[in-house]
Amino acid sequence: MTEADCLFCSIVAGENPATVIREDDRTLAFMDINPATRGHCLVIPKRHSDDLTLSDPEDIAACSIAAQELAQRAISKLGADGVALISFAKPAAGQTVFHTHLHVIPRYEGDGLKQPWIPNNVDAAEIESSAKEMSND
Ligand code: 5GP
Ligand code: ZN
């Protein structure tokens, strides 16, 4: 994916419409076109990266700050009871638009959304084994 054929880059460039709700030097936030709940929006870095694992850490920091502010607005202005933040990286995780983005999803008591995973019982050795591979050396 390059900037030239990226949907979200075209929104940043003003070549495609979006309902923008927040902007700073590094980030843009706009309403999701197919919202999961009332107020569902997306925060993106203005600079293109395909997904969160490939982004400049400074861009992720700026997106996180923007997402926190929007989560606060969801509670104080929309009356949300909670907020879910999520980013899917790569198709296996469910990513469909290949420009890094954080979903800010206001949650309301009884909104019917499901958790994105089913908790599994696995033995402690398996958790230890993945922990070893995930740890700082
Ligand atoms: P993903 O599945 O990659 O995590 O999320 C992509 C999100 O982008 C989806 O929630 C989808 O509704 C949203 N989306 C796709 N195309 C557009 C668009 O043209 N404009 C806006 N505002 N959102 C879009
Ligand atoms: Zn892009």
Side-chain angles (χ1 to χ4, degrees), residues 7-8 11 16-19 30-36 40 42 86-89 93-99 101 103:
L7 174 62
F8 287 175
I11 289 176
N16 254 323
T19 306
F30 50 88
M31 303 312 288
D32 195 293
I33 206 166
N34 292 127
H40 179 178
L42 304 171
I86 194 159
S87 184
F88 303 120
Q95 186 179 8
T96 59
V97 174
F98 296 93
H99 179 124
H101 52 283
H103 293 263

Side-chain angles (χ1 to χ4, degrees), residues 1 4 10 32 39 44 58 79 87 90-91 97 104 121 125 131 134:
M1 174 68 65
S10 72
D32 195 293
I44 69 170
E58 294 289 328
S87 184
K90 310 192 187 296
V97 174
V104 179
N121 272 319
M134 292 286 285

Side-chain angles (χ1 to χ4, degrees), residues 29-129:
F30 50 88
M31 303 312 288
D32 195 293
I33 206 166
N34 292 127
T37 62
R38 183 159 193 269
H40 179 178
C41 56
L42 304 171
V43 181
I44 69 170
K46 288 181 174 173
R47 185 175 4 181
H48 181 86
S49 54
D50 281 6
D51 68 55
L52 176 135
T53 70
L54 302 169
S55 302
D56 179 334
E58 294 289 328
D59 280 340
I60 297 304
C63 285
S64 299
I65 289 167
Q68 184 199 31
E69 199 177 296
L70 293 166
Q72 291 165 339
R73 285 188 210 169
I75 289 170
S76 67
K77 302 198 176 188
L78 295 182
D81 300 304
V83 186
L85 301 183
I86 194 159
S87 184
F88 303 120
K90 310 192 187 296
Q95 186 179 8
T96 59
V97 174
F98 296 93
H99 179 124
T100 302
H101 52 283
L102 289 183
H103 293 263
V104 179
I105 306 175
R107 296 298 308 269
Y108 304 89
E109 297 292 350
D111 65 23
L113 285 197
K114 300 259 189 305
Q115 298 295 95
W117 67 87
I118 300 164
N120 286 308
N121 272 319
V122 300
D123 52 45
E126 161 46 29
I127 295 173
E128 277 301 313
S129 138

